[in-house]
């Protein structure tokens, strides 16, 4: 299979999803149950989804275009929302700055992942 822009975007999604999940495991401590549920569900759930879509894409058994677009839209919304929750939690910390910096890194990576999902949705829509 030739390496296309969509292949690179899918690989970046996979790498970011795994990195964010690992960082989330090290910094999990959301005080609000709703934001904790959204963030943990997004980071863990989409890590599984992205692994499945990447493996399917690499083996030539990709999922339906409309389902992939749904995952892109849902992933973009949930990652950006989780980034906002995470940033709000860690931006006010005055103590244990290395832990707070790791949490802020998680927020920035989640925002980047949301943008990558938007790009993936655009490329998925454009591919015939």
């Amino acid at each position: 299979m030739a390496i296309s822009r969509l292949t690179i975007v899918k690989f970046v999604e996979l790498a970011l999803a795994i990195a964010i999940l690992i960082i989330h495991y090290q910094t999990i401590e959301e005080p609000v149950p709703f934001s904790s549920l959204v963030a943990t569900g997004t980071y863990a759930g989409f890590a599984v989804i992205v692994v499945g879509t990447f493996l399917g894409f690499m083996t030539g058994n990709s999922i339906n275009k409309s389902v992939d677009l749904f995952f892109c839209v849902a992933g973009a919304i949930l990652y950006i929302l989780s980034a906002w929750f995470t940033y709000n939690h860690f931006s006010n910390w005055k103590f244990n700055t290395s832990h707070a910096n790791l949490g802020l890194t998680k927020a920035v990576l989640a925002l980047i992942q949301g943008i990558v999902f938007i790009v993936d949705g655009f490329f998925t829509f454009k591919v015939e």
Side-chain angles (χ1 to χ4, degrees):
M1 168 175 259
I3 296 178
S4 65
R5 289 182 286 186
L6 191 56
T7 306
I8 294 169
V9 170
K10 294 284 186 189
F11 180 75
V12 169
E13 277 180 5
L14 177 65
L16 282 172
I18 291 170
I20 291 168
L21 184 62
I22 290 169
I23 294 173
H24 183 65
Y25 177 73
Q26 295 172 353
T27 62
I28 187 167
E29 57 175 67
E30 296 289 331
V32 181
F34 177 73
S35 63
S36 177
L37 178 68
V38 170
T40 303
T42 300
Y43 300 146
F46 271 95
V48 173
I49 289 170
V50 168
V51 166
T53 57
F54 180 76
L55 289 176
F57 186 77
M58 291 305 293
T59 60
N61 298 319
S62 60
I63 59 176
N64 188 329
K65 184 191 257 188
S66 60
V67 174
D68 198 12
L69 282 173
F70 171 75
F71 284 148
C72 291
V73 170
I77 291 169
L78 288 172
Y79 267 103
I80 291 170
L81 185 63
S82 297
W84 182 65
F85 286 148
T86 303
Y87 177 78
N88 281 339
H89 176 68
F90 286 105
S91 64
N92 297 325
W93 278 36
K94 303 286 189 267
F95 55 92
N96 196 356
T97 57
S98 66
H99 189 71
N101 287 341
L102 196 58
L104 291 173
T105 301
K106 176 175 66 171
V108 170
L109 288 177
L111 180 63
I112 292 170
Q113 179 77 318
I115 293 168
V116 169
F117 267 113
I118 292 170
V119 171
D120 180 19
F122 176 74
F123 285 145
T124 300
F125 185 74
K126 294 291 280 183
V127 170
E128 292 290 324

